[in-house]
């Protein structure tokens, strides 16, 4: 670990910027991070995600799965100024990490491809940025294999953005390959050179004609928010270059446009232009602090966007400093009400962190030993701390897995490790099922849960067994009956005697359990009646079908006792025997939990979603356009819990990964026929 005590301010004193790399799954974010680091000299040459040598995939899980499964922050210097890039995973299953990080950044680069199938995911990400008010560039990646005209691609991508996508560059074609680009703001042509800065070439011929046309179309879009420019265009006056750059920067910052740049992360093409756009157009920390409502203050104020428990103990809190100056050893107060001393400030540099003695507003760092600080907290060196600057709400979990440690001696360790994992990633949730004694881990999808299991093993050294969570089946009865229950035992000395007559009948659905007594003449002495109720409750635990019994009413009407041998225990046993013997004669019936499920999906997938629900014994309640989401629908249905288990897997495959759902328990419903027989048989085998 190196010691770097220099301030990262550039010669012009610009504060460090923080930029998110976001975008649909596998669009090339990690490769772009690598290319940026290589082109700006932070690393000697770019590694590759394909052979697991990239910075962004520094952690083992990312390498193993060849996909981003967590955030990576890496810092570089460009033209004397410092930039930290946060590479966010593209998979929707790991979107919480991205959501927690976005509020901290000055701008986002949305890395995307000319692939219409990824449109819904692109729309989800742009939505997130639009709602947070984060300025965003689109980086149209993989231009090395573009086969479509960029303008056509843009028309395909435009519905994903609420604001106009403004093409800043056009490609220069050499046959079917993109050989370079023309920057429409600079009016300059460049030819790409692999792993080197692009070379300026003369803009002429057909490229010049295309440039004129494309530039005019860019200016027209900018003029929608600039009356002077509109007049110049109408009067055929060429606007001054500075004014065009000013408009690009202002309209980006005000969220009025989303500029589009081209490139190939793999070949490091278009990277320096992108850096220049960030340098000139992306806002700095002062504007970000204003967006977040950070009060004017001399104190260091920061936002924690990631917490990481280290393998051999200790914790790192990744934070963006939004104002002031922070020294190692400073005492920090957090918005969750805790205070602690920073022990170690590390510059975030993709797994090769270097120590810093102090940091300034703008920098993104990892802070050591802030044990009580959580992701999402605001931290401050002041005597008071502003309330949380942002409230990042975790998406409801959609897939569950029951866990147990392979070795029972690890039970406590498992509990602690799960607590840490859910603290790091609140889109995981742990529910202890009191009925089955299972620990159920809820998450955002198969890979999310698999990575959590791997972390339990690799980081916390716990081997875990998993199985599908138990469904909350219950049973009830349809027919009333009167039943006697007797318990009599004469085994020398004191005997046991209890005798009860129970009227057992069904209750309306959802009423649970009711017990009353109508004993006359002291047939069962009053002091034994609570024990009778306990005996019935014992019998409720497992009915003839193998499940807990509900919606039953029991009335104790008669019985008898023995002055010496009767006891609470004897009456409890008698009641349990009577109740248990009665149930099979009461037409027992299986009940399954039914949930209301609300699915959101792109409209073109709605018919498929309806078919999925019908195939899962769902009852569709209706569908409607999704409020405020043009091109999306909401489908509501009642669905048995047993059918929700892997719903997300089928839903994502039908919606290019964009569909999701929420659910809430609604009622228990009777199941009969073959479905019920299969459930009961499977339960018997498992038991
Ligand atoms: N042809 C071409 N392939 C690229 C380019 N950039 C990335 N790739 C490939 O696209 C695949 C995904 O690249 P990554 O950089 O891992 O993508 P990512 O967006 O970080 O992936 P996730 O974080 O898992 O969503 C890899 O096989 C890369 O080699 C590019 O500019 N051109």
């Amino acid at each position: 670990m190196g010691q770097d005590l220099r301030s990262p301010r550039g010669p012009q004193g610009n504060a460090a910027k923080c930029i998110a790399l976001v975008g649909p799954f596998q669009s090339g974010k990690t490769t772009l991070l690598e290319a940026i680091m290589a082109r700006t000299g932070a690393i000697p040459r770019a590694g590759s995600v394909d052979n697991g040598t990239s910075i962004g995939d520094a952690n083992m899980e990312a390498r193993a799965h060849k996909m981003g499964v967590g955030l990576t922050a890496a810092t570089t210097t460009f033209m004397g100024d410092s930039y930290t890039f946060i590479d966010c995973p593209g998979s929707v299953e790991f979107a919480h990490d991205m959501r927690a990080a976005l509020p901290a950044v000055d701008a986002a680069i949305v890395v995307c491809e000319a692939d219409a199938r990824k449109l819904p995911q692109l729309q989800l990400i742009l939505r997130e940025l639009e709602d947070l008010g984060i300025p965003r560039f689109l980086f149209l990646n993989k231009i090395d294999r573009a086969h479509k005209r960029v303008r056509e691609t843009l028309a395909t991508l435009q519905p994903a953005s609420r604001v106009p996508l403004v093409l800043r560059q056009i490609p220069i074609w050499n046959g079917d390959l993109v050989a370079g680009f023309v920057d429409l703001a600079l009016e300059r042509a460049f030819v790409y050179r692999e792993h080197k800065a692009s070379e300026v070439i003369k803009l002429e011929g057909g490229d010049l004609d295309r440039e004129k046309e494309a530039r005019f179309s860019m200016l027209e879009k900018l003029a929608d928010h600039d009356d002077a420019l509109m007049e110049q265009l109408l009067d055929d006056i060429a606007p001054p270059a500075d004014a065009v750059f000013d408009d690009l920067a202002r309209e980006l910052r005000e969220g009025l446009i989303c500029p589009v740049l081209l490139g190939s992360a793999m070949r490091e093409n278009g990277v320096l232009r992108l850096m220049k756009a960030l340098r000139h157009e992306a806002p700095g920390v002062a504007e970000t602090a204003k967006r977040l409502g950070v009060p004017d203050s001399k104190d260091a104020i920061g936002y924690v966007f990631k917490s990481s428990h280290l393998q051999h103990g200790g914790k790192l809190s990744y934070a963006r400093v939004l104002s002031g100056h922070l020294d190692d050893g400073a005492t920090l107060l957090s918005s969750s009400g805790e205070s602690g001393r920073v022990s170690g400030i590390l510059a975030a540099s993709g797994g090769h962190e270097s120590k810093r003695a102090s940091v300034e507003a703008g920098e993104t760092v990892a802070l050591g030993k802030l044990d009580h600080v959580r992701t999402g907290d605001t931290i401050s060196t002041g005597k008071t701390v502003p309330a949380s600057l942002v409230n990042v709400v975790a998406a409801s979990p959609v897939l569950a897995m029951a866990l147990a440690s392979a070795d029972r001696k690890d039970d406590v360790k498992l509990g602690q490790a799960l607590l840490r994992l859910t603290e790091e990633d609140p889109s995981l949730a742990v529910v202890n099922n009191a009925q089955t004694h299972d620990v159920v881990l809820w998450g955002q999808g198969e890979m999310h849960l698999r990575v959590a299991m791997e972390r339990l093993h690799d980081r916390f050294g716990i081997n875990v067994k998993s199985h599908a969570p138990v469904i909350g089946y219950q049973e009830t009865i349809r027919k009333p009956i009167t039943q006697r229950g007797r318990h009599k035992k004469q085994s020398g000395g004191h005997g046991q005697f209890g005798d009860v007559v129970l009227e057992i009948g069904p209750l309306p659905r959802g009423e649970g359990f009711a017990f009353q007594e109508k004993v006359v003449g002291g047939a069962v002495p009053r002091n034994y009646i609570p024990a009778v109720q306990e005996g019935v409750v014992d019998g409720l635990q497992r009915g003839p079908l193998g499940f807990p019994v509900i919606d039953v009413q029991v009335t104790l009407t008669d019985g008898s006792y023995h002055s010496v041998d009767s006891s609470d225990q004897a009456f409890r046993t008698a009641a349990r025997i009577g109740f248990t013997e009665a149930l099979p004669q009461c037409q027992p019936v299986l009940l399954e939990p039914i949930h209301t499920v609300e699915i959101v999906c792109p409209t073109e997938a709605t018919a498929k979603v309806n078919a999925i629900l019908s195939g899962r014994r769902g009852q569709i309640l209706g569908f409607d356009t999704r409020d405020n989401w043009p091109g999306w629908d909401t489908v509501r249905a009642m669905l048995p819990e047993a059918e929700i288990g892997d719903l997300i897997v089928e839903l994502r495959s039908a919606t290019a990964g964009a569909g999701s759902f929420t659910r809430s328990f609604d009622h228990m419903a009777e199941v009969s026929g073959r479905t019920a027989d299969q459930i009961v048989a499977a339960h018997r085998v498992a038991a």
Side-chain angles (χ1 to χ4, degrees):
M1 201 174 278
Q3 180 93 358
D4 176 6
L5 303 175
R6 280 169 306 159
S7 157
R9 271 177 194 268
Q12 297 163 11
N14 296 319
K17 287 186 179 176
C18 181
I19 309 290
L21 298 176
V22 295
F25 188 55
Q26 297 281 290
S27 57
K29 299 170 285 295
T30 306
T31 309
L32 181 60
L33 175 69
E34 204 67 19
I36 291 173
M37 293 295 133
R39 294 302 317 123
T40 53
I43 54 174
R45 89 185 95 80
S48 146
V49 290
D50 297 316
N51 57 28
T53 55
S54 64
I55 304 172
D57 289 331
N59 59 60
M60 272 191 318
E61 298 114 354
R63 277 197 185 141
H65 300 300
K66 288 210 174 356
M67 62 180 274
V69 297
L71 300 176
T72 307
T75 304
T76 189
T77 305
F78 179 64
M79 299 180 84
D81 290 332
S82 172
Y83 295 81
T84 297
F85 289 88
I86 303 179
D87 176 16
C88 302
S91 159
V92 283
E93 297 185 29
F94 297 90
H96 189 79
D97 281 1
M98 172 189 80
R99 248 173 237 137
L102 286 181
V105 303
D106 299 321
I109 299 172
V110 184
V111 184
C112 71
E113 298 168 65
D115 184 348
R117 286 169 306 172
K118 293 194 178 171
L119 202 62
Q121 270 199 47
L122 178 65
Q123 186 180 11
L124 286 179
I125 291 162
L126 285 173
R127 250 316 166 97
E128 200 95 39
L129 297 167
E130 287 161 0
D131 291 346
L132 288 168
I134 296 174
R136 57 226 163 257
F137 296 90
L138 211 70
F139 184 75
L140 188 56
N141 190 30
K142 306 192 183 179
I143 202 80
D144 53 296
R145 56 177 204 215
H147 49 81
K148 246 193 191 174
R149 299 287 143 184
V150 168
R151 248 189 283 177
E152 273 172 51
T153 302
L154 225 62
T156 312
L157 301 182
Q158 181 59 64
S161 171
R162 276 173 175 164
V163 300
L165 299 178
V166 175
L167 195 58
R168 278 273 319 257
Q169 299 169 339
I170 54 167
I172 296 176
W173 294 88
N174 181 1
D176 284 343
L177 291 179
V178 175
F181 67 97
V182 183
D183 190 286
L184 301 175
L186 275 178
E187 300 209 81
R188 209 178 281 169
F190 298 84
V191 6
Y192 290 139
R193 294 189 303 165
E194 208 163 337
H195 309 300
K196 281 190 190 150
S198 301
E199 194 181 329
V200 180
I201 54 163
K202 193 159 189 274
L203 181 55
E204 57 191 355
D207 288 337
L208 182 61
D209 298 339
R210 284 175 46 244
E211 187 273 334
K212 292 276 170 246
E213 193 195 331
R215 180 175 156 92
F216 188 78
S217 139
M218 176 186 83
L219 294 178
E220 265 183 325
K221 286 185 179 157
L222 295 180
D224 283 340
H225 306 284
D226 178 350
D227 294 343
L229 178 61
M230 183 62 89
E231 274 176 33
Q232 286 161 345
L233 294 185
L234 290 174
D235 297 342
D236 224 4
I237 299 171
D242 281 0
V244 174
F245 278 112
D246 286 351
D247 273 359
L248 279 166
R250 178 181 57 81
E251 295 186 22
L252 167 86
R253 290 171 188 212
E254 290 177 6
L256 302 171
I257 56 164
C258 174
V260 180
L261 297 135
L262 315 176
S264 163
M266 203 170 69
R267 298 192 176 179
E268 300 170 26
N269 293 150
V271 173
L272 292 180
R273 267 292 115 206
L274 178 64
M275 288 304 298
K276 288 216 169 135
L278 293 177
R279 178 178 165 80
H280 294 294
E281 292 158 37
V285 66
E287 274 174 75
T288 301
K290 211 154 120 199
R291 160 165 59 77
L292 290 171
V294 176
D296 272 342
S297 154
K298 283 201 196 74
D299 303 322
I301 295 176
Y303 166 76
V304 177
F305 61 89
K306 170 178 162 158
S307 308
S308 187
H309 289 277
L310 306 174
Q311 191 168 10
H312 304 295
K315 180 179 165 188
L316 287 178
S317 304
Y318 287 80
R320 176 108 197 267
V321 183
L322 296 162
S323 78
H325 163 101
L326 177 66
D327 289 315
D328 192 9
T331 299
L332 284 170
L333 198 59
S334 85
S335 51
S336 51
E338 305 284 346
S339 77
R341 255 187 94 212
V342 187
S343 178
I345 300 181
L346 304 175
S349 34
H352 304 283
E353 274 68 11
S354 59
K355 261 195 167 178
R356 300 285 307 279
S358 64
V359 278
E360 306 293 331
E363 290 192 76
T364 305
V365 286
L367 304 172
K369 294 252 169 60
L370 294 178
D371 289 337
H372 301 294
V373 168
R374 283 183 300 226
T375 302
D377 277 1
T378 310
I379 46 176
S380 171
T381 50
K383 291 207 169 47
T384 57
V385 62
S388 285
L389 299 171
V390 271
N391 184 17
V392 183
V393 181
S396 319
V398 286
L399 192 68
M401 186 167 68
L403 297 181
S405 46
D407 188 339
R408 297 224 45 171
K409 77 173 171 30
D410 283 342
D411 278 0
V412 174
K413 224 165 123 188
L414 175 64
Q416 287 167 347
L418 286 172
L419 210 66
R420 291 192 165 166
L421 283 188
T422 48
E423 188 208 317
E424 280 181 14
D425 178 357
S427 68
L428 284 170
V430 175
V431 178
N432 289 303
N433 186 330
Q435 206 175 313
T436 61
H437 304 292
D438 274 336
V439 176
V440 182
L441 181 66
W442 281 88
Q444 303 297 324
E446 283 175 308
M447 187 57 86
H448 193 216
L449 291 178
R450 195 186 314 163
V451 167
M453 295 270 283
E454 288 168 3
R455 287 181 178 152
L456 288 173
H457 177 267
D458 299 341
R459 215 184 314 156
F460 299 99
I462 308 168
N463 280 323
V464 176
K465 294 181 299 186
S466 67
H467 60 84
V470 175
I471 307 295
Y473 294 113
Q474 293 178 319
E475 55 182 274
T476 188
I477 53 170
R478 285 191 178 133
K479 204 179 97 179
I481 196 175
T482 301
Q483 173 80 28
R484 170 153 242 134
R486 273 167 76 84
H487 177 57
K488 185 175 178 191
K489 222 171 185 182
Q490 217 70 54
S491 50
H494 240 309
Q496 292 178 39
F497 183 85
D499 174 33
V500 294
V501 176
L502 304 172
E503 274 179 21
I504 298 162
L507 275 180
R509 194 69 56 249
E511 299 219 342
F513 168 63
F515 178 85
Q516 52 182 329
E517 57 88 15
K518 290 187 184 160
V519 178
V520 284
V524 177
R526 305 220 69 79
N527 55 314
Y528 293 135
I529 290 175
V532 173
Q533 181 169 354
E534 281 169 29
V536 173
V537 170
D538 290 343
L540 287 171
Q541 305 311 311
R542 190 179 160 91
L545 303 178
F547 300 100
V549 182
I550 54 155
D551 296 342
V552 173
Q553 171 169 268
V554 175
T555 309
L556 172 67
T557 55
D558 202 359
S560 62
Y561 72 102
H562 186 280
S563 57
V564 178
D565 290 347
S566 283
S567 63
D568 280 346
Q569 191 51 47
F571 268 99
R572 183 170 176 166
T573 308
R576 179 177 51 76
I577 290 171
F579 185 68
T580 309
E581 284 177 0
L583 286 180
Q585 308 164 56
C586 298
Q587 288 183 3
V589 57
L590 186 67
L591 294 176
E592 66 172 342
I594 305 289
H595 294 246
T596 313
V597 174
E598 193 167 297
I599 294 178
V600 290
C601 60
T603 304
E604 63 265 20
T606 304
K608 273 195 220 162
V609 167
N610 284 342
I612 291 170
L613 291 172
S614 305
R616 289 175 177 259
R617 299 191 284 129
Q619 184 200 341
I620 292 167
L621 303 174
F623 59 93
D624 215 335
T625 50
R626 187 178 180 191
D627 271 353
N628 238 338
W629 278 79
W632 284 64
D633 283 344
T634 303
V635 183
R636 290 182 70 246
M638 291 282 188
L639 206 58
E641 183 173 310
E643 301 287 344
I644 299 177
D646 60 354
L647 172 66
I648 191 67
V649 179
E650 206 178 352
L651 185 60
R652 290 212 175 114
S653 98
T655 58
S660 64
F661 72 89
T662 51
R663 67 188 211 164
S664 62
F665 171 76
D666 196 81
H667 65 282
M668 298 297 291
E670 290 186 11
V671 208
S672 52
R674 260 193 66 197
T675 314
D677 294 345
Q678 283 168 348
I679 295 168
V680 171
H683 185 69
R684 290 215 168 107
V685 172

